[in-house]
Amino acid sequence: MTSLPHKKLRVFSGIQPSGAFTLGNYLGAIRQWVAGLDEKENFFCIVDLHTITVPQEPQDLLRRTREMAAILIACGLDPQKCTLFIQSHVRAHAEGCWILNCVTPVGWLERMTQYKLKSQQQESISTGLLDYPVLQAADILLYDTNEVPVGEDQKQHVELARDIAQRFNNLYGETFVIPEPIIPKLGARVKALDDPATKMSKSKAYIRGHAIRLADGPDEIRYAIKRAVTDPGREIVFSDAPEKAGVNNLLEIYELLTGYTREAIEAHFAGKGYGHLKQEVAGVVIEALRPIRERYLSFIADPVELDRLLAVGAERARAVADPKIQEIKRKVGFIV
Ligand code: ATP
Ligand code: LTN
């Protein structure tokens, strides 16, 4: 027996509790998640199993997992409208990962860009780090997911999930829906303020001036934007030129948060200096984050309620993932 068909398009995405949530995560991912709440069936997962693929301090992980839940709800992921849960609360993810491991050639994993980047930063590389995309494939495939909204950096992993699904379907018969990555045209890659050649990253958000963190207050936001790396020129224009990456990043943040056209923005800043640009961008960011920060502070103050919401989310997730893992086990020849 296969799992019941579902009518609305199913959406699944995940985020690691690996550091302080940044403006990049918000603009590249969470805004899209919130936008699709009403018309689609949504599952959002805080992927703690993924986070321990690189060393973590247990107390920090515990705190950050609750902080992540509070911030996601504060950003608009209403637990009444979506299933928000913690990955390790649903055992089928780890079980599914094992079975998918056994149909995934190791060469596919060694080619992953994120693995190559992250493994260079580790003294000792865990097997989990190499296996990371297979766990991600299990996350996605367990829910018969149609769409996976992510930033550009995750496209390769979603494509791998498609390859794994196809291989499993070929070996054992139709089991998995083939998921599509959904990448926003704008905001897919918000750059680091201290190094605009690289992406703004949650796990580097502890470095002062690297990121704008969603829980930051106005002073911290002004500080980070004021120190943002730009170029020796004066022109405030959208540009793909590597030397203009810093100014372009600030302009894109402004564009995303105001919704103004590029022409209007360039006209607005024509003849003005970088100091002025930074001041205005900081103002827009502060106003956009103010309500999110206020809601965040009230949710984080009530961990009992947060844990209750997450327990409800886990139960709803298990209602989908448990029958699916049974189907998978049956297909590979296990007694279920
Ligand atoms: P880490 O630094 O631990 O790798 P991260 O900041 O890259 O964390 P993830 O948990 O890996 O965040 O990603 C959560 C979501 O945010 C993903 O959909 C990812 O594509 C998106 N995202 C992450 N960083 C950016 C960024 N700088 N610009 C746009 N989207 C981003
Ligand atoms: N690897 C992703 C997080 C993630 C994810 C997922 C995203 C884990 N499982 C399933 C989409 C679907 C990241 O680092 N952003």
Side-chain angles (χ1 to χ4, degrees), residues 13-19 22 24-30 33 47 114 118 132 149-154 187-191 199-204:
S13 201
I15 185 158
Q16 300 187 64
S18 54
T22 72
N25 300 132
Y26 180 62
L27 296 176
I30 312 310
W33 300 4
V47 293
Q114 182 177 291
K118 286 199 178 177
Y132 180 116
V150 282
E152 206 172 71
D153 59 314
Q154 292 300 310
R189 197 171 282 261
V190 178
K191 306 296 193 317
K199 73 162 195 162
M200 186 180 283
S201 177
K202 193 155 28 62
S203 51
K204 292 198 194 134

Side-chain angles (χ1 to χ4, degrees), residues 12-16 18 25 29 33 43 45-47 50 87 93 114 118 132-133 135-141 145 147-151 153-154 157-158 199 202:
F12 186 102
S13 201
I15 185 158
Q16 300 187 64
S18 54
N25 300 132
W33 300 4
F43 290 81
C45 185
I46 300 175
V47 293
H50 277 106
Q87 189 183 30
H93 291 247
Q114 182 177 291
K118 286 199 178 177
Y132 180 116
L135 178 60
Q136 184 163 348
D139 297 343
I140 297 168
L141 300 177
T145 300
E147 295 184 350
V148 187
V150 282
D153 59 314
Q154 292 300 310
H157 286 168
V158 181
K199 73 162 195 162
K202 193 155 28 62

Side-chain angles (χ1 to χ4, degrees), residues 253-266:
I253 292 171
Y254 189 86
E255 178 187 17
L256 281 158
L257 292 176
T258 61
Y260 298 155
T261 64
R262 293 193 163 198
E263 296 70 41
I265 294 171
E266 288 181 350

Side-chain angles (χ1 to χ4, degrees), residues 15 34 51 58-59 73 81 100-101 114 143 147 159 191 206 270 274 278 291 321 330 333:
I15 185 158
V34 173
T51 304
Q59 287 307 318
I73 300 172
K81 292 191 181 172
L100 296 181
N101 275 335
Q114 182 177 291
Y143 294 84
E147 295 184 350
E159 279 162 0
K191 306 296 193 317
Y206 67 90
Y274 289 169
K278 287 178 171 180
R330 229 178 274 118

Side-chain angles (χ1 to χ4, degrees), residues 76-136:
L77 292 184
D78 179 350
Q80 310 269 13
K81 292 191 181 172
C82 64
T83 299
L84 175 66
F85 70 104
I86 295 180
Q87 189 183 30
S88 64
H89 288 179
V90 181
R91 292 195 180 141
H93 291 247
E95 239 180 311
C97 175
W98 178 258
I99 296 173
L100 296 181
N101 275 335
C102 300
V103 302
T104 307
V106 78
W108 288 6
L109 304 180
E110 285 163 343
R111 280 202 293 275
M112 293 292 113
T113 311
Q114 182 177 291
Y115 171 69
K116 289 191 212 158
L117 284 172
K118 286 199 178 177
S119 56
Q120 279 165 12
Q121 296 159 10
Q122 302 301 316
E123 264 175 43
S124 156
I125 303 162
S126 73
T127 307
L129 191 63
L130 179 66
D131 202 27
Y132 180 116
V134 183
L135 178 60
Q136 184 163 348

